[in-house]
Each structure stands twice: as C-alpha cells, then as structure tokens.
Amino acid sequence: MTDRKISEKATTAQKVQEEGTASARRPGRPSGVKKGADKRELLLDAALKLFAQSGIAETPLSMIAKEAGVTTAMLHYYFNTREQLLDVLIDERFQPVRAGFSDIFDIHADDPLMAITAMAQCMIDAAVKYPWVAPLWVREVISESGMLKKRMEERNGDKNRKVVQECITRWQSEGRLNPDLDPALLFISLFGLTLFPLASMKMRQGTASPISPEALRKHVAVLLFHGVASQKP
C-alpha cells in the first residue's frame, strides 16, 4: 500500500472518530469558557435577587448557590467570600448604574430644577430597567446599617455625594435654588420620592393598584416644579 493511500485512510478514520464524538455529545452549549462565564453571571444574578429580597447580611453563600442551582463548592470556585462577591457586584453591576447619574449636574449646571428632576427620572429609569435597584437601595444604601453602603464607602468614599451637596449649596448662594432647602436631605428626599414607591410595588400588588413608572415620573415632576400648594391666584 502506498504512503498516499495510508495517509488517506488515516484521515478518513480521524474524521469518522470526530463525527462519532460530536454525535455522542449531549445537546446544548458546549463546555468551555463561555459556560463558565454563564455560571458566574448566574451567580451574580442570584445574589442580586436574594440580597434585594432578604438583605446582604441575612443571605449566606449557600443560599445563593441553591438559588443559582449550583453547589456551594462551585460558588467558592468563583467567589471565596461574600465580601469578594459584593466587591464584584459593586464593580460590575452597581457602578455602571451610578455612572448614568454622574454627569447630570454638569449638563444642567445652570438649571438646578432641571438637574434635580433629571436625577429623579434617572433613578426611576434605573429601577425599571433593573428590578433589584429599588429594593436593594432602600434596604442597603438608604439605611445607615446597610452592608452595601458601608462597602461602597470603604471602596469609593463619599466623593459623589459631597459633589452634589456642594453643587446644591452653590445654587442656593447664587439665588437659583430655595435657600431653605437642606442639601443633604434633598438627595435623600429624591430617593424617597422615587425608589421607595417602586420598592413597595410588589407589596401593593393584589391589594391596590400598582404604581406605574409613568405616573410616578409625572408625580415627581409636578411636585418638584410646582410643590403641593394650590396654583390658583
């Protein structure tokens, strides 16, 4: 048998073997990097859901693994501790949401009322796009004892909050904003007007009409622009 025929037979045998192996694989996405990335994202999704429902301190890693449908050992393969998991969530999930608010006060530097209204609308939009935002922020950020608030301040400080408060104080000194407003309380009030009602929507379902994001946007805008006093002369 010539070397050419031997080579052709070897190639054919290799193809048959590869096709048999391929046909023996189970249906679905093949194993590899993509599968690992999917598991990691699944764990992050499960953690966000449970943190929003029960709080970070009350959610052990074993509960997150169970929610994601993986073993605790698999979870530890990606995240050794809850603090490490929380840091990843801050970097990959929370910070991108906060980044959407960062330039609002620069864009509306000469119109404080528009800046504050735009900030409120961004909070509503974020809560609608990401269902975990409102309950998690109410539970873990607005609360002084929240683990997320403490962890974010440890990592990033409170620079953003101070910048907003300084901007509000400047507007007050320029006569652009009501001087009787407390800059620190104003930011907290925006959370109360936007995220708290959205966080309570699930509790209201079945017992009262749910709050629509559109109705909330209109309510907040009217309240900020016109207040609660009658507009009649």
Side-chain angles (χ1 to χ4, degrees), residues 195-214:
L195 299 185
F196 185 78
L198 291 171
S200 67
M201 283 180 66
K202 289 186 178 180
M203 292 184 293
R204 290 170 57 90
Q205 289 178 358
T207 60
S209 299
I211 306 168
S212 72
E214 292 73 21

Side-chain angles (χ1 to χ4, degrees), residues 15-26:
K15 287 183 178 179
V16 170
Q17 183 179 4
E18 290 174 351
E19 290 173 357
T21 301
S23 62
R25 290 193 187 115
R26 294 181 179 180

Side-chain angles (χ1 to χ4, degrees), residues 40 44 47-48 51 56 79 82-99 132 136-137 140-141 146-157:
R40 185 177 182 276
L44 294 179
L48 282 173
F51 287 168
I56 296 173
F79 310 106
R82 183 170 54 188
E83 287 70 22
Q84 183 186 22
L85 170 60
L86 190 54
D87 286 343
V88 173
L89 286 174
I90 290 173
D91 291 339
E92 298 185 13
R93 300 295 179 90
F94 304 147
Q95 296 292 27
V97 174
R98 293 184 66 187
W132 50 266
L136 193 59
W137 243 247
E140 295 287 340
V141 178
M147 285 185 63
L148 177 59
K149 175 184 176 66
K150 292 180 179 180
R151 196 69 177 174
M152 291 181 74
E153 288 184 349
E154 288 173 359
R155 288 168 56 82
N156 304 319

Side-chain angles (χ1 to χ4, degrees), residues 116-129:
I116 294 170
T117 304
M119 175 68 75
Q121 291 178 348
C122 279
M123 290 178 180
I124 296 172
D125 291 341
V128 171
K129 184 176 181 179

Side-chain angles (χ1 to χ4, degrees), residues 22-160:
S23 62
R25 290 193 187 115
R26 294 181 179 180
R29 182 178 289 119
S31 60
V33 176
K34 181 61 177 176
K35 186 176 180 180
D38 287 348
K39 284 186 178 180
R40 185 177 182 276
E41 292 300 305
L42 186 63
L43 287 166
L44 294 179
D45 291 340
L48 282 173
K49 177 183 176 180
L50 294 176
F51 287 168
Q53 288 178 351
S54 305
I56 296 173
E58 291 74 22
T59 305
L61 292 179
S62 58
M63 187 181 296
I64 296 172
K66 183 178 180 180
E67 176 69 24
V70 303
T71 64
T72 304
M74 176 62 72
L75 185 148
H76 281 292
Y77 175 80
Y78 293 100
F79 310 106
N80 291 325
T81 63
R82 183 170 54 188
E83 287 70 22
Q84 183 186 22
L85 170 60
L86 190 54
D87 286 343
V88 173
L89 286 174
I90 290 173
D91 291 339
E92 298 185 13
R93 300 295 179 90
F94 304 147
Q95 296 292 27
V97 174
R98 293 184 66 187
F101 305 163
S102 60
D103 58 352
I104 290 177
F105 284 80
D106 291 331
I107 294 174
H108 304 288
D110 297 324
D111 193 340
L113 190 55
M114 185 60 69
I116 294 170
T117 304
M119 175 68 75
Q121 291 178 348
C122 279
M123 290 178 180
I124 296 172
D125 291 341
V128 171
K129 184 176 181 179
Y130 305 104
W132 50 266
V133 164
L136 193 59
W137 243 247
V138 169
R139 185 185 295 274
E140 295 287 340
V141 178
I142 295 179
S143 171
E144 288 296 325
S145 60
M147 285 185 63
L148 177 59
K149 175 184 176 66
K150 292 180 179 180
R151 196 69 177 174
M152 291 181 74
E153 288 184 349
E154 288 173 359
R155 288 168 56 82
N156 304 319
D158 59 351
K159 179 181 178 181
N160 291 338

